[in-house]
Amino acid sequence: MFKKKPITESRRPSTGAQAKIYSRDNVARYSERARQRRRGHTVRRVVLIAVLGVLLSATTAAGLWFATIMGKLGDSNVITDNLRQILVDTDEAKDPFYVLLLGTDGRPGEDTYRADSIILARIDPTQKQATLISIPRDTKVVYNGSTMKINACHTYGGAEAMVQAVNELCGVQISHYAEVSFDGMQSLIDSVGGIDINATDDVDDPEHLDIKITAGQQHMDGATALTYARCRYIYADGDYTRMRHQRQVLGALANQILNNFDATKVFDLVNSLSDMLVTDMSVQDIVSTVNAMRGMDVDGIYSANLPSYADASTMIDGVSYVFVYEDELKEMMERVDAGKDPKGPNTMGQSDGSSSTIGDLNNNTSDDYANGTATSSVSSDDSDDSTDSSDSDYYEEPTGDGNGYEANY
């Protein structure tokens, strides 16, 4: 039999290196390293707390900035709960939507003012396409049982009344509302560095306007652009020329913001907008829409005004109105709603079925439109549902003054 070997404790011989670990000198160094590690942890904790504090302060500041901007943009005196209930929700980055754009004659501190410029815009962010439809401010509507000019709705019922009136008139559902005063529009254009525009008509009306403009391609500051957008008395088709000029200015402004503006300054732009613009759109709505539409062909924006007329027959109780060709308006808005070329008129009367874009407005004068000689960059062969222009009534010379509007300068 085998004998079991006695179990003995295995001991390693002590070495000088091991003995050195437990020397007094090494204990001192170990303690110093421990203190350094503790100081390192403390420093890192202090830095972390400081960073968190900065982030918290920045977040708080951003929150305060955001709240301030939203408070300015969404002025509760204009953007009421009743208005928000009428507006239709949409995804601004993906879905087509309608926005009602108003230029007003309001002044700081005024509670009652008129809508001088009324434009219904359809925005399609996926297709990078927009349509601008001008509504004559003297268009006859019925609001709360009373016949009035559409711009008077703003005086009686504010933004809510304007949205209701345009929804009913054009058969649409508006998602957003925005208004800017004349002074605000001038400041907005200046804030983006001005606009490049081809002025198709001279402006020389010293009785109403201080600035004189010579037709031609030029860079306009805010005051000059506003003058161009307001002149009407010297033109054959009066307010219709003014509406075309307004759409030209909007197109040039869109081009400046979407294609020529430094994207890193978008928050500066929002800051500027908040002092000039009142809208239900949030900062996120504005930024997402701008980003979605960036790079669009602004010359390709569809352009039209309501098929309408004003003459002696449109006088009611001594007040001159603009009457709408209702059947043609319905057909035009069906095309707009489908994202197609509206083929609407760009002056008084009915359409001749031609396409029209901002690019076309930049290439035709007031006389071209008044005389029916305006040309389109899109041929009828390239456009859907083309019609024979020989049967058109593109411009009707009114028997009255053709304007019928109070001076509003």
Side-chain angles (χ1 to χ4, degrees):
M1 294 186 64
F2 297 100
K3 292 183 178 181
K4 292 182 179 180
K5 294 182 179 179
I7 299 174
T8 58
E9 184 179 355
S10 176
R11 296 182 183 274
R12 294 182 180 178
S14 177
T15 64
Q18 188 176 12
K20 191 175 180 181
I21 292 176
Y22 297 100
S23 68
R24 287 178 180 169
D25 291 340
N26 196 57
V27 169
R29 286 194 296 271
Y30 178 83
S31 298
E32 178 60 25
R33 287 198 297 272
R35 283 193 296 271
Q36 290 175 352
R37 283 196 296 271
R38 286 195 296 272
R39 282 199 299 269
H41 291 319
T42 301
V43 170
R44 284 194 291 273
R45 283 196 295 270
V46 170
V47 170
L48 179 59
I49 292 172
V51 170
L52 290 175
V54 170
L55 290 176
L56 180 60
S57 298
T59 301
T60 302
L64 291 173
W65 173 86
F66 186 83
T68 300
I69 296 298
M70 288 300 296
K72 290 180 179 180
L73 286 173
D75 183 347
S76 59
N77 293 319
V78 178
I79 310 301
T80 63
D81 290 339
N82 288 338
L83 172 63
R84 292 185 184 279
Q85 290 176 4
I86 296 173
L87 298 174
V88 178
D89 289 336
T90 188
D91 185 340
E92 291 75 17
K94 297 179 180 179
D95 301 325
F97 63 91
Y98 288 99
V99 55
L100 182 61
L101 306 172
L102 262 62
T104 72
D105 63 358
R107 298 292 185 269
E110 292 182 348
D111 295 326
T112 303
Y113 44 88
R114 293 173 295 184
D116 187 75
S117 171
I118 307 170
I119 295 179
L120 176 64
R122 182 183 186 272
I123 309 297
D124 188 339
T126 301
Q127 300 299 320
K128 294 185 185 295
Q129 179 62 54
T131 303
L132 300 180
I133 306 295
S134 289
I135 300 174
R137 63 184 188 177
D138 284 2
T139 300
K140 181 181 76 70
V141 296
V142 176
Y143 176 70
N144 282 349
S146 298
T147 297
M148 64 182 68
K149 298 178 180 183
I150 194 168
N151 73 332
C153 294
H154 193 278
T155 302
Y156 285 98
E160 176 188 349
M162 290 300 300
V163 170
Q164 285 180 324
V166 176
N167 275 345
E168 293 176 7
L169 178 67
C170 297
V172 297
Q173 291 184 310
I174 293 170
S175 295
H176 291 296
Y177 173 90
E179 70 175 49
V180 61
S181 68
F182 293 146
D183 291 341
M185 177 58 76
Q186 178 175 327
S187 298
L188 175 57
I189 291 172
D190 286 334
S191 72
V192 298
I195 57 174
D196 294 314
I197 188 171
N198 183 37
T200 53
D201 306 288
D202 292 335
V203 174
D204 188 4
D205 186 6
E207 183 178 348
H208 301 101
L209 300 166
D210 297 329
I211 297 176
K212 182 178 179 179
I213 300 172
T214 301
Q217 183 68 36
Q218 56 198 275
H219 186 81
M220 291 185 180
D221 62 10
T224 306
L226 184 61
T227 297
Y228 185 69
R230 298 189 67 192
C231 187
R232 65 187 175 92
Y233 285 110
I234 64 176
Y235 306 120
D237 60 351
D239 197 46
Y240 290 86
T241 291
R242 176 167 64 170
M243 289 187 287
R244 288 194 302 274
H245 288 180
Q246 289 169 352
R247 297 197 295 278
Q248 276 187 279
V249 169
L250 277 184
L253 180 59
N255 188 56
Q256 181 67 15
I257 293 174
L258 297 176
N259 300 325
N260 298 321
F261 192 69
D262 185 350
T264 64
K265 296 181 179 179
V266 66
F267 288 102
D268 291 334
L269 175 61
V270 172
N271 269 327
S272 298
L273 284 173
S274 70
D275 290 326
M276 309 159 192
L277 182 73
V278 178
T279 180
D280 70 291
M281 297 183 76
S282 67
V283 175
Q284 299 100 312
D285 292 338
I286 295 172
V287 172
S288 65
T289 300
V290 168
N291 286 336
M293 300 296 285
R294 191 175 297 280
M296 75 174 294
D297 176 15
V298 174
D299 280 348
I301 293 176
Y302 293 132
S303 164
N305 55 244
L306 298 193
S308 53
Y309 65 100
D311 57 25
S313 68
T314 65
M315 299 286 291
I316 301 177
D317 296 330
V319 179
S320 177
Y321 290 88
V322 169
F323 280 20
V324 171
Y325 292 102
E326 295 182 2
D327 290 342
E328 184 171 340
L329 173 60
K330 181 180 178 181
E331 293 176 1
M332 184 182 82
M333 291 310 304
E334 286 175 352
R335 291 191 290 270
V336 172
D337 204 46
K340 298 180 179 180
D341 182 347
K343 297 182 184 176
N346 280 275
T347 187
M348 183 178 290
Q350 296 171 283
S351 173
D352 65 354
S354 296
S355 298
S356 185
T357 63
I358 294 297
D360 295 325
L361 298 190
N362 293 332
N363 292 319
N364 290 282
T365 68
S366 173
D367 288 340
D368 289 331
Y369 284 106
N371 297 327
T373 57
T375 59
S376 171
S377 59
V378 181
S379 68
S380 59
D381 292 337
D382 298 328
S383 184
D384 296 332
D385 303 321
S386 60
T387 58
D388 184 357
S389 60
S390 63
D391 295 330
S392 72
D393 187 15
Y394 195 70
Y395 175 70
E396 292 183 352
E397 183 67 37
T399 57
D401 63 8
N403 292 307
Y405 311 128
E406 303 86 2
N408 191 19
Y409 291 90

